[in-house]
Structures are given as structure tokens and as C-alpha cells.
């Protein structure tokens, strides 16, 4: 039975059934047989431990082409900043690190928030690529749920997209690797997992059990609609429950793949440990001593840490940055008699995916094929503009493109989220829209302006908190781009903290206790760019992607002219 059909089965039939079937498939080797094998090994003078290598990647986010800008650079072990990432280079590095004792594993966010080359095809190109690279098992990340649970099941198991149909590559055959989520449960039956909780792989003749987990904060960072049938349980509790099941199956070599992690100080070596203690550390120290190592993701950081498990033994924790810039090797020996990892043999190392190696020709061809295909999507006309729309701020801090994006976001969040105003972070506007001779705006151009696939959200703030939020702009030195429905005055000479006055929504002065529905992307609503007041918002509603909001705006309002940047009035 293939691993994929096992996953399907486990997802459909639930956790206890999965355990039963796994028992039937290959449970504990009877003690007598195990003893005999060990004796034979000894008699033949063979080593009683066998080497295993895991090659781990996380937060790939569909970076088929070498990522550009700061996302395509990383500090290496020597402290130098080098270019890194790109599927064809990743392939070369994996081939150099792989042998018959190895397998490739991952810790989620392989898809979602991806460049157009992958996003335009619901990330099928990325999932196909990862199969080609030998990926065998991954935890899900929060971004695996970006298009919803049903879509994740389609990506895993195959079939064409329900509305967009088959991609140019033909019928989608599903992922060649298992997506695991031991803490992802069905709301209507919380005892049942919504995804396979674990996978068992035979590597170099020994069984290794992989437990997949995703951050329990997923509901607050993913569109609610797509995961409305799911709950996300505590990672540690779920890991330990699954670990016990693996042990019942006689699987003692256990690896946690968890899409959660910690931050590190900027520019430290990818092999350094110090982390800023957070959710990753909680999981790293909390999971059962049966678990031999913990591979992380989510925070896009690179680290290798030797920590202690609850029984006091050394246990490694690692993460490999993001976008395919770093691969982690986890080498260890498994005792063929105890079936367990010999902890003293574990060695973990982060490798930068440099571009000074030859690009893998097959993968390079694969990426080029999708690049040619996506050019059609990229060239799709979404509307027209009458002049350049720039992100260059004027004296008030507003830019024409920023104001336009805020207007688009308000229009997209009014119907479902009852938004009254919208605010956009200027740092999230990645390019200008320049006027072509025919004035046409293409999907590719709009995607370049808003490439993050951020979710639009709406929260309620009181008039007093909106005032505090607007004051905060002058503490963090970033002026949020306002929709036309929000106007206010800023005093250039007033001290920070009392610069803003005359706040009006739709022309009406705002009172301190008034409840205002404020739209912003999920990054800002989460307190991004230092806008902590946003996190005080209540009644969070999640809506469409920011890119879709902007595309819809062009489709509905073309030809679009640059708006006047007069929503903020600056006085001396
Ligand atoms: Zn994540």
C-alpha cells in the first residue's frame, strides 16, 4: 500500500483506525524474531546500529525561481551575506546530500503565499517539484490552509480544481508526499484527526515515525471560512498522544515535524542556536522524551539547538530559514535491537543553498516550462489606468497607489465585514503601476504590487483607539494609507502622541466611544510594523486576499485615475 493511500485512509477513518491499520501493516516485530535478527547480526560481526539521514526544508512558499531581494540572501556560517535559494539549486544541493540512507522531510508552508508562477496554478507546480526532489513527508503549515481544507485535500490526493479546472499540465495527480497534522481535528468529531497524524518510513531497514503538527494559532492567521470545519489542538498534547500510538506500533525512532518556531537575533550563523524563547521552545521542551528530534518552521529563522527532553536527555531542535535558502541535515544512528535513535549519535547541520553550484538541468527545465505557462496569466488584462500610480509618498505620507489600494480594500470588505474605513501599510506596496502606452494593467503587474497573498480582515476599534492607532504612525514612522472615507489633520509641530485631530469617518466627526469597523490586511491586524493598537481590535472578520481586492477594483472601476492624496491634512 502506498503512503498516499494510507494517508487517505487514515484521514477518512480516523486516528484509532489508523493505529489499527498501521498495526496490521507492520506493527511491532515479535520479540523472538527481533532477538534472532540481533543474534544473526552479531554473529556476522555486523554493526548493530544503522545510519539514517533526514534532509529537511521548511517554509518554501513556492519559490521555484531564485527568490529576489532580501528573501534571496542569507548570512552563511562564515558571517557573509550570500545569494541563496531557487529550485534548480535546491535540487543540486539535495542530490549532493542524499544517499540511500536518507529521505527528505519538511515542516510546512511549502505552498501558500507563493509567487505567481505557483499561485496561478493553486501551487500544483510547487507540490510537483517537491515530489521530484524526493520529499516524502511534511507537516502542514498554516499556509497549507490558505485556500481551505477541501483544497488541501485536493492538493494531497489529486483531481482538478473545482472552479478553475485542470492546469496546463493536465489532471492533477496529488502530492507524492504525505501531509501530516496530528493536531488538526474535525470540529464535529474532535476525537478524529482531519489529516493523517503520522507517517512511518522504513529508511535503511529501520522504521522512523514522523509526527506532523501545525501552530495552534492557525485559526487567527488563516481565512476562517476555509477551516470552519476544523479545530487546532495544542501541539504538545497532540504530539504526545501520537507518540504513544507510534510506540504501541513498536516505532521508537520518532521525529516531530512542527510548523511553529522561535525568532533569533538577526544575522546570526544558520548553525547557531540562541533563540528568543517563544512557542517553538515551548514545544521543543514539552514533547515526550520518546521524540528524538524536533524539526521546526513558521518563523523563517535558521537555528540548530541542542536542548533537553523531559527525561533530561539531549535532543536537537532545528529550523532552516525559508524560501529554500537552507537545508537541514539530521544524521543519527538507529539501534536495530531497541529500534530507537541513539541520541549521542545525532548530528544536525544547516546548509546554505548557494547558487555557486550547477543548476539541476531537469528542474531548471521544469521551472522554465511553468514560467512560460504563467506568462499568459501574468499578461491577463485586469483594467486600465490613465496615468502612473506611484507608491511615492507626498507631504502627508499618502501615495496615490496607497490610497487606491485602501479604497479597493474597503470596497472588498464592506459587504461581508461591514468595514467603514481601510488602512494599508506602505511597506506592503512593492512596486509602482506605470502607465503603458495603451493604459492596460495586467494581472502580473498587480501581483507584483501586492505579492504577499495577505488576507483582508476587519476589526472593531473605538474612536479613542482609532485615534491612538493614528498617533502610533508617528512613533513608528510609517503613515498608513487611508481609504477616502477616513480624513484627519496632523500637526507637524505637535509632539508625538498628540499630532492627530479632526478624525472623520464619511465626513462625520468621530466620538471617543464610537465603534468603527476598520479593514486592514492580516499583517497589520496582527500588530505588524509596530501597530500594536490593531491587536486590540475585536470581532475579527476575515475576507478575501489583498491581491483579489485590488484586481476586483480595477475590473470594476477602469479606467482608474490616480486619487488625490488629500485625506490627511498637514498643518504647521
Ligand atoms: Zn507559517
Amino acid at each position: 500500500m502506498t503512503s498516499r493511500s494510507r494517508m487517505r485512509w487514515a484521514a477518512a477513518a480516523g486516528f484509532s483506525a489508523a493505529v489499527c491499520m498501521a498495526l496490521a501493516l507492520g506493527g511491532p516485530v515479535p520479540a523472538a524474531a527481533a532477538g534472532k535478527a540481533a543474534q544473526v547480526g552479531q554473529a556476522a560481526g555486523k554493526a548493530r546500529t544503522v545510519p539514517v539521514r533526514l534532509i529537511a526544508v521548511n517554509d518554501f512558499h513556492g519559490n521555484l525561481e531564485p527568490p529576489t531581494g532580501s528573501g534571496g540572501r542569507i548570512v552563511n556560517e562564515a558571517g557573509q551575506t550570500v545569494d541563496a535559494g531557487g529550485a534548480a539549486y535546491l535540487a543540486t544541493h539535495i542530490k549532493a546530500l542524499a544517499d540511500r540512507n536518507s529521505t527528505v522531510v519538511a515542516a510546512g508552508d511549502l505552498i501558500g503565499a507563493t509567487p505567481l508562477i505557483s499561485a496561478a496554478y493553486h501551487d500544483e507546480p510547487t507540490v510537483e517539484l517537491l515530489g521530484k526532489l524526493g520529499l516524502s513527508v511534511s507537516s502542514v503549515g498554516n499556509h497549507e490552509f490558505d485556500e481551505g481544507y477541501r483544497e488541501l485535500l485536493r492538493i494531497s490526493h489529486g483531481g482538478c480544481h473545482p472552479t478553475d479546472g485542470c492546469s496546463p499540465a493536465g489532471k492533477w495527480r496529488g502530492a507524492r508526499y504525505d501531509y501530516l497534522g496530528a493536531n488538526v481535528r474535525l470540529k464535529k468529531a474532535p476525537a478524529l484527526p482531519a489529516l493523517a497524524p503520522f507517517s512511518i518510513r522504513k529508511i535503511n531497514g529501520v522504521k522512523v515515525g514522523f509526527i506532523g503538527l501545525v501552530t495552534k494559532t492557525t485559526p487567527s492567521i488563516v481565512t476562517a471560512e476555509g477551516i470552519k470545519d476544523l479545530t487546532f489542538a495544542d501541539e504538545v498534547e497532540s504530539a504526545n498522544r501520537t507518540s504513544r500510538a507510534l510506540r504501541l506500533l513498536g516505532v521508537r525512532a520518532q521525529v516531530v515535524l512542527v510548523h511553529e518556531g522561535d525568532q533569533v537575533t538577526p544575522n546570526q550563523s544558520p548553525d547557531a542556536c540562541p533563540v528568543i524563547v517563544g512557542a517553538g521552545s515551548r514545544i521543543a521542551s514539552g514533547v515526550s522524551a520518546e521524540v528524538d528530534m524536533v524539526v521546526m518552521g513558521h518563523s523563517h529563522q535558521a537555528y540548530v539547538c541542542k536542548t533537553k527532553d523531559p527525561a533530561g536527555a539531549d535532543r536537537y531542535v532545528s529550523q532552516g530559514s525559508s524560501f529554500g535558502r537552507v537545508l537541514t541535515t539530521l544524521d543519527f544512528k538507529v539501534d536495530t535491537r531497541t529500534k530507537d535513535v541513539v541520541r549521542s549519535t545525532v548530528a544536525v547541520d544547516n546548509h546554505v543553498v548557494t547558487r555557486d553550484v550547477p543548476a539541476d538541468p531537469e528542474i531548471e527545465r521544469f521551472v522554465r516550462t511553468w514560467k512560460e505557462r504563467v506568462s499568459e496569466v501574468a499578461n491577463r488584462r485586469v483594467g486600465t489606468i490613465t496615468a502612473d500610480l506611484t507608491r511615492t509618498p507626498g507631504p502627508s505620507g499618502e501615495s496615490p497607489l496607497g490610497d487606491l489600494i485602501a479604497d479597493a480594500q474597503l470596497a472588498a470588505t464592506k459587504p461581508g465585514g461591514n468595514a467603514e474605513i481601510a488602512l494599508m501599510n506602505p511597506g506592503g506596496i512593492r512596486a509602482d503601476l506605470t502607465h503603458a502606452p495603451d493604459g492596460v494593467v495586467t494581472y502580473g503587474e498587480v501581483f507584483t504590487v501586492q505579492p504577499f497573498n495577505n488576507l483582508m480582515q476587519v476589526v472593531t476599534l473605538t474612536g479613542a483607539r482609532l485615534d491612538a492607532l493614528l498617533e502610533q504612525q508617528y512613533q513608528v514612522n510609517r503613515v498608513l494609507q487611508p481609504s477616502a472615507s477616513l480624513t484627519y489633520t496632523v500637526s507637524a509641530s505637535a509632539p508625538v502622541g498628540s499630532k492627530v485631530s479632526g478624525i472623520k469617518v464619511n465626513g462625520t466627526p468621530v466620538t471617543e466611544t464610537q465603534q468603527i469597523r476598520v479593514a486592514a490586511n492580516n499583517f497589520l491586524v496582527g500588530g505588524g510594523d509596530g501597530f500594536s493598537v490593531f491587536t486590540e481590535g475585536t470581532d475579527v472578520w476575515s475576507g478575501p486576499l489583498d491581491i483579489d481586492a485590488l484586481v476586483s477594483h480595477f475590473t470594476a472601476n477602469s479606467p482608474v485615475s490616480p486619487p488625490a492624496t488629500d485625506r490627511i491634512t498637514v498643518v504647521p
Side-chain angles (χ1 to χ4, degrees):
M1 192 177 243
T2 67
S3 57
R4 243 194 292 148
S5 56
R6 185 165 67 235
M7 174 178 167
R8 219 165 286 150
W9 199 92
F15 185 70
S16 55
V19 171
C20 295
M21 190 187 63
L23 271 167
L25 275 178
V29 180
K36 196 177 164 195
Q39 280 164 18
V40 170
Q42 262 180 330
K46 283 184 190 161
R48 284 173 45 212
T49 60
V50 296
V52 171
R53 163 170 282 191
L54 306 180
I55 303 167
V57 65
N58 60 278
D59 296 85
F60 181 60
H61 288 294
N63 278 271
L64 271 58
E65 294 184 86
T68 56
S70 61
R73 290 191 296 270
I74 196 160
V75 173
N76 68 11
E77 293 87 341
Q80 300 154 326
T81 301
V82 296
D83 290 340
Y89 300 108
L90 190 64
T92 301
H93 281 276
I94 288 177
K95 277 184 183 167
L97 295 169
D99 61 25
R100 54 187 200 78
N101 304 330
S102 66
T103 194
V104 182
V105 302
D109 276 10
L110 307 175
I111 58 174
T114 50
L116 190 59
I117 188 173
S118 182
Y121 305 104
H122 301 281
D123 288 324
E124 289 175 17
T126 296
V127 177
E128 190 180 348
L129 169 89
L130 292 166
K132 287 177 185 290
L133 297 184
L135 180 61
S136 65
V137 52
S138 178
S139 65
V140 288
N142 51 296
H143 280 290
E144 263 76 15
F145 295 97
D146 278 357
E147 295 190 43
Y149 173 53
R150 297 232 139 266
E151 171 64 3
L152 175 59
L153 294 181
R154 184 190 75 83
I155 277 292
S156 296
H157 304 153
C160 293
H161 192 271
T163 53
D164 292 347
C166 296
S167 86
K171 188 170 188 289
W172 176 240
R173 297 150 73 105
R176 275 198 246 168
Y177 55 91
D178 287 356
Y179 260 130
L180 308 179
N183 62 329
V184 187
R185 313 261 168 84
L186 292 171
K187 205 172 261 176
K188 61 172 187 268
L192 296 185
L195 297 166
F198 63 79
S199 272
I200 301 165
R201 287 283 177 282
K202 208 164 194 181
I203 309 167
N204 201 10
V206 293
K207 282 181 191 155
V208 181
F210 295 94
I211 301 167
L213 303 158
V214 60
T215 172
K216 66 180 175 185
T217 66
T218 296
S220 59
I221 48 180
V222 164
T223 316
E225 177 62 22
I227 54 165
K228 65 181 193 306
D229 297 331
L230 306 178
T231 58
F232 292 80
D234 182 74
E235 305 94 344
V236 173
E237 180 265 321
S238 303
N240 292 350
R241 180 205 285 229
T242 312
S243 170
R244 283 194 295 276
L246 282 171
R247 187 170 175 172
L248 280 173
L249 298 172
V251 179
R252 302 297 303 272
Q254 299 186 2
V255 177
V256 157
L257 306 170
V258 55
H259 189 74
E260 181 59 278
D262 286 333
Q263 300 292 327
V264 300
T265 51
N267 302 325
Q268 76 180 33
S269 162
D271 289 333
C273 167
V275 295
I276 296 153
V277 173
S281 296
R282 169 178 58 81
I283 297 164
S285 58
V287 296
S288 156
E290 281 288 333
V291 171
D292 297 295
M293 59 205 79
V294 181
V295 177
M296 299 194 157
H298 191 50
S299 58
H300 293 204
Q301 308 289 312
Y303 49 82
V304 175
C305 289
K306 196 192 238 181
T307 60
K308 296 282 182 204
D309 70 21
D314 285 340
R315 180 164 67 189
Y316 272 100
V317 179
S318 64
Q319 189 178 166
S321 182
S322 61
F323 309 147
R325 288 178 291 176
V326 170
L327 287 166
T328 308
T329 51
L330 302 103
D331 290 294
F332 53 90
K333 292 204 165 91
V334 176
D335 186 317
T336 55
R337 192 175 39 83
T338 64
K339 316 281 181 211
D340 207 350
V341 171
V342 182
R343 288 287 181 90
S344 59
T345 65
V346 183
V348 182
D349 193 14
N350 271 335
H351 304 257
V352 173
V353 177
T354 57
R355 299 182 196 157
D356 57 1
V357 297
D360 182 272
E362 188 213 326
I363 300 300
E364 201 170 41
R365 257 197 314 280
F366 174 82
V367 174
R368 199 184 314 125
T369 303
W370 283 104
K371 199 178 174 176
E372 283 160 11
R373 284 170 177 157
V374 81
S375 65
E376 271 179 47
V377 178
N379 295 334
R380 180 165 69 83
R381 169 196 171 115
V382 299
T384 56
I385 53 177
T386 60
D388 285 357
L389 279 161
T390 75
R391 56 180 180 148
T392 310
S396 70
E398 298 166 76
S399 71
L401 187 51
D403 282 3
L404 180 90
I405 289 172
D407 289 343
Q409 295 186 340
L410 177 61
T413 52
K414 225 180 226 173
N418 301 316
E420 297 163 87
I421 62 172
L423 291 163
M424 171 66 195
N425 54 309
I429 308 165
R430 307 303 288 185
D432 295 336
L433 270 179
T434 46
H435 184 258
D438 56 2
V440 167
V441 176
T442 66
Y443 186 86
E445 288 172 311
V446 179
F447 196 88
T448 307
V449 172
Q450 297 245 268
F452 294 115
N453 286 310
N454 277 323
L455 275 183
M456 289 312 305
Q457 297 190 310
V458 182
V459 294
T460 299
L461 291 176
T462 61
R465 296 324 286 158
L466 175 62
D467 186 13
L469 178 72
L470 297 176
E471 292 287 358
Q472 210 162 32
Q473 299 177 110
Y474 304 96
Q475 289 155 22
V476 301
N477 283 318
R478 283 182 186 85
V479 175
L480 297 171
Q481 308 295 296
S483 60
S485 56
L486 173 67
T487 54
Y488 61 93
T489 300
V490 175
S491 162
S493 57
V496 169
S498 48
K499 284 183 162 303
V500 174
S501 62
I503 306 171
K504 291 178 184 168
V505 171
N506 294 316
T508 307
V510 163
T511 67
E512 288 216 339
T513 54
Q514 183 178 342
Q515 308 255 303
I516 302 155
R517 294 291 284 165
V518 184
N521 61 41
N522 58 334
F523 170 76
L524 274 180
V525 171
D529 275 349
F531 288 101
S532 59
V533 173
F534 257 121
T535 64
E536 300 169 30
T538 56
D539 300 310
V540 183
W541 175 86
S542 286
L545 292 174
D546 54 3
I547 172 74
D548 293 341
L550 188 52
V551 166
S552 301
H553 190 77
F554 281 113
T555 310
N557 297 293
S558 285
V560 171
S561 297
T565 52
D566 58 359
R567 299 161 188 187
I568 305 170
T569 305
V570 182
V571 297

